[in-house]
Amino acid sequence: MDIPNSKSPSMTMEEDDLDDRTGNTETTRRGENYGSYQDIVGSSSREGQPTSRSFSEQIEGLVGSYTRTSLAYMAENIPITSTSPSTKDHLQLPQDEEQQHVDKNSIHSGHYYPSNTYSFPGADADSRSYYSQLGMEPDERSSLLSYTDNNPITGGYIESVLTRTTSKADSTLNEYPRKPIPKSSFLQSVFNSTNILLGIGILAMPLGFKLAGWVIGILVFGFCFGVTNYTAKILALCLDQYPGSQTFGDIGAAAFGIKGRVMVSAFFIIELIAVSVALVVFMSDEINALFPGLNPILLNIVSFCVLTPMLFVPVRHLSYASLLGIVIALSILFLLFFDGLTKPDAPGSLIEPAETEVFPSNWSAVPLSFGLLMAGFGGHSVFPTIYRDMENPKDYPAVVDWTYIATAIVYILIAAGGYLMFGLDTLEEITQNLISIPEYNRAINLFVLWLLALNPVSKYGLSLSPVNLTWQRAILRHPKVEEWCLGSLWRVRSITITGTILMSAIVVLIAYMFPSFDKVMGLLGSLFAFVISAVFPLTCHLKLFGHTMSTTRKYITYILLTISVIMATLGTWKSCF
């Protein structure tokens, strides 16, 4: 059953944007892709969709939609050089090892064609139009999503990693090479967005309220919710400003040229490394909760042994496990309230709440709460991919609204419930509090903890794969490496496998050196989430639409931008020192 597509109050600011922008040209740019906001309240057709689908078909549709989003997001996060390699430098693999290339535009547009026969209508024209407006050449694009490398070593290997599968049933892209891949429906888009936002940051939400107190905590939570909901929508406006733009990097290029794109790509890579470190820290904490008393070095070695193999698992299989993100979040919510309502006295009871604070007693710790509460709303780097993967892009604002309503309900219940149950004794991960109460149902708590352990196992590969593919491209394109790998696929594989294991070891080493989950999540929220989900979209919006904004809208944008920068600066400082 479809969610009603009604207009929400949070869309009012976007309607003002439409009034600020005048002229037939701008209307035409949005007409085919985004649509007017008045169109959102109307009915959206679902032509060509079956009226009923079996449960297995529904799951397959969710997996396919999430896989497409993951592939396109990974491709966007892989920087490339600004110039194409010379054809005379191409190395030829043995005939039986040659691989057919995939045009990355086809992944995003919903079509798959071999690179030598690619003929997506209008793609070249749109690309030339888009980059001619920016004073750039098309091959200056810095992500795999919009770049084709004909080098049989770098291009063929990387593309096989992005699309590799283990069976015919796992290969949607290769099974029907001439048929369009179905786009994501409204519910699939909401599911993908919600699944991305509901990450491990949810475990630190109660600590955020403990550090900030009820009043400050609710105000910070409300600001993070409001500003990220708004900026998620203006990302679509920025994408539609130039024909051919598809990714977060395209928005940076449209606003600040090629330097903006390079900065976005570099920032993404650093963020993904930080996310991977957080996953390792969380995995170590979960192992310690299940098997208390283990040496910290041993904990990290076990985490390394469990997580590293995930880097060699095909993305489609990881997508199945990643679908558990929502299930895991709801399991935490269930466990929290089940434990809280079955224990009659404090600590750890909702019937007799623990001591809490209206205002914080330690104001110096408040900035850390900025990042902890913001981390749960930082999914904007993948929103452009979700927008372009929708079968009805005009529904995108409604998708954002329903996504944020769902996640905010889960967040506030866990944050408030955890803080009520443990008060001033709330730990950096709420699960650490739950496992410390002997009166709770041990079997149920252990089951949820084991379920939580699946989260880093499934998402570690998705987070670190773009980082691995980035350095692999850089190394394999070096002339001496190309010469050494000439005609020998096993040498290419030896480099990539050894480097992948080494990269995972570096991430685990960083996690060992910085084992505080609250500090890592605070840094992810304050630095990366605020910059990517608030500062960057607001800045690009001003750059692209400042000349058409009303004075009121411009003042509101500057206020939001100023508050975001201040909170990001204070939160980052507190997370690091």
Side-chain angles (χ1 to χ4, degrees):
M1 180 178 180
D2 281 351
I3 299 175
N5 219 2
S6 59
K7 185 188 296 184
S8 66
S10 59
M11 291 163 56
T12 305
M13 299 185 76
E14 280 69 31
E15 288 180 332
D16 294 340
D17 242 355
L18 190 62
D19 295 336
D20 292 339
R21 300 169 60 192
T22 59
N24 295 331
T25 302
E26 293 177 346
T27 303
T28 302
R29 284 173 181 164
R30 295 180 54 189
E32 296 179 359
N33 296 323
Y34 193 70
S36 66
Y37 286 102
Q38 297 298 329
D39 292 337
I40 297 171
V41 298
S43 61
S44 58
S45 63
R46 299 287 188 268
E47 296 179 2
Q49 287 190 342
T51 55
S52 61
R53 302 173 67 189
S54 65
F55 178 76
S56 61
E57 289 174 335
Q58 294 284 357
I59 295 297
E60 183 68 20
L62 288 175
V63 173
S65 174
Y66 190 78
T67 301
R68 288 195 307 275
T69 302
S70 300
L71 286 172
Y73 174 62
M74 286 171 61
E76 178 186 342
N77 280 281
I78 303 170
I80 64 172
T81 55
S82 60
T83 58
S84 301
S86 174
T87 54
K88 66 181 180 180
D89 294 330
H90 286 179
L91 301 179
Q92 298 298 324
L93 294 178
Q95 185 67 27
D96 60 343
E97 295 174 351
E98 290 183 355
Q99 301 190 38
Q100 202 170 35
H101 296 174
V102 178
D103 187 291
K104 295 306 175 295
N105 280 324
S106 66
I107 292 178
H108 194 80
S109 64
H111 295 75
Y112 169 87
Y113 298 102
S115 60
N116 59 343
T117 59
Y118 175 70
S119 57
F120 180 61
D124 293 338
D126 284 346
S127 179
R128 283 193 297 268
S129 173
Y130 169 58
Y131 285 98
S132 63
Q133 294 180 61
L134 301 180
M136 299 160 51
E137 293 299 324
D139 58 3
E140 285 181 306
R141 307 186 74 171
S142 59
S143 78
L144 278 182
L145 191 59
S146 51
Y147 176 84
T148 301
D149 186 0
N150 293 320
N151 188 308
I153 288 182
T154 59
Y157 176 78
I158 300 302
E159 288 153 6
S160 68
V161 172
L162 287 173
T163 59
R164 65 187 173 192
T165 54
T166 56
S167 67
K168 183 178 179 180
D170 291 331
S171 182
T172 303
L173 290 177
N174 295 322
E175 186 175 359
Y176 301 105
R178 289 290 179 178
K179 292 184 179 180
I181 299 175
K183 299 260 186 183
S184 297
S185 66
F186 184 91
L187 286 177
Q188 287 173 342
S189 300
V190 172
F191 181 89
N192 290 339
S193 304
T194 305
N195 195 55
I196 289 167
L197 290 181
L198 291 176
I200 60 175
I202 194 174
L203 301 175
M205 287 280 180
L207 179 63
F209 270 58
K210 171 199 170 183
L211 297 175
W214 286 111
V215 174
I216 305 299
I218 292 175
L219 289 177
V220 172
F221 184 90
F223 176 81
C224 294
F225 171 86
V227 72
T228 52
N229 178 280
Y230 171 61
T231 54
K233 294 173 184 175
I234 64 176
L235 284 176
L237 298 176
C238 296
L239 280 173
D240 290 334
Q241 175 68 1
Y242 289 94
S245 60
Q246 303 177 27
T247 70
F248 215 75
D250 287 341
I251 297 175
F256 304 104
I258 189 62
K259 292 182 179 180
R261 177 186 297 283
V262 172
M263 289 180 62
V264 168
S265 297
F267 203 76
F268 277 172
I269 293 299
I270 299 174
E271 181 200 22
L272 291 172
I273 294 175
V275 169
S276 301
V277 170
L279 291 171
V280 174
V281 172
F282 174 66
M283 185 71 181
S284 299
D285 290 344
E286 288 299 293
I287 296 174
N288 188 49
L290 294 169
F291 306 99
L294 293 179
N295 185 281
I297 297 179
L298 181 60
L299 287 175
N300 283 274
I301 292 176
V302 173
S303 298
F304 172 79
C305 295
V306 172
L307 295 177
T308 302
M310 296 300 103
L311 299 175
F312 301 96
V313 177
V315 173
R316 184 168 182 80
H317 296 314
L318 293 176
S319 297
Y320 274 101
S322 295
L323 293 177
L324 293 174
I326 294 178
V327 176
I328 292 173
L330 294 179
S331 298
I332 299 173
L333 182 61
F334 164 78
L335 180 65
L336 193 69
F337 278 81
F338 177 82
D339 288 344
L341 294 174
T342 55
K343 191 172 187 295
D345 53 354
S349 173
L350 288 172
I351 299 175
E352 182 183 321
E355 180 185 357
T356 59
E357 296 178 333
V358 177
F359 290 96
S361 56
N362 182 12
W363 285 90
S364 63
V366 172
L368 183 59
S369 70
F370 300 163
L372 296 178
L373 297 176
M374 182 64 170
F377 297 105
H380 286 48
S381 55
V382 78
F383 273 128
T385 304
I386 290 175
Y387 171 51
R388 291 303 192 197
D389 190 58
M390 291 181 62
E391 63 182 7
N392 289 297
K394 66 180 182 180
D395 292 340
Y396 174 74
V399 167
V400 173
D401 284 335
W402 283 103
T403 297
Y404 271 82
I405 289 172
T407 53
I409 290 174
V410 175
Y411 286 160
I412 197 67
L413 288 176
I414 291 180
Y419 186 38
L420 281 173
M421 289 171 62
F422 299 101
L424 301 181
D425 294 324
T426 301
L427 300 177
E428 58 189 39
E429 298 168 36
I430 193 62
T431 51
Q432 293 177 342
N433 286 109
L434 295 177
I435 202 67
S436 66
I437 305 296
E439 292 89 345
Y440 289 156
N441 188 305
R442 183 72 175 174
I444 296 179
N445 281 28
L446 286 177
F447 172 78
V448 174
L449 285 177
W450 279 107
L451 191 62
L452 282 171
L454 291 177
N455 194 292
V457 170
S458 63
K459 294 191 174 181
Y460 188 73
L462 293 175
S463 299
L464 203 55
S465 287
V467 181
N468 285 323
L469 294 175
T470 298
W471 69 255
Q472 286 168 12
R473 289 186 59 84
I475 291 179
L476 294 176
R477 289 167 63 88
H478 191 278
K480 291 185 177 180
V481 177
E482 285 187 340
E483 182 180 356
W484 185 71
C485 295
L486 181 62
S488 179
L489 188 58
W490 74 266
R491 291 182 178 179
V492 177
R493 288 175 176 168
S494 65
I495 292 175
T496 56
I497 292 174
T498 303
T500 298
I501 295 174
L502 181 61
M503 186 72 230
S504 183
I506 293 174
V507 170
V508 173
L509 178 61
I510 296 174
Y512 174 74
M513 297 172 61
F514 303 95
S516 299
F517 183 77
D518 56 338
K519 295 285 187 178
V520 175
M521 291 307 304
L523 184 64
L524 278 172
S526 297
L527 179 57
F528 297 103
F530 263 111
V531 171
I532 292 177
S533 301
V535 175
F536 179 80
L538 289 171
T539 304
C540 290
H541 193 219
L542 280 172
K543 181 73 173 180
L544 296 175
F545 299 98
H547 62 287
T548 60
M549 283 184 182
S550 65
T551 303
T552 302
R553 167 56 60 81
K554 195 172 292 187
Y555 281 145
I556 292 175
T557 304
Y558 277 119
I559 291 173
L560 293 176
L561 184 59
T562 302
I563 295 175
S564 298
V565 170
I566 292 174
M567 294 178 69
T569 303
L570 294 177
T572 302
W573 175 83
K574 188 61 180 179
S575 299
C576 296
F577 304 102

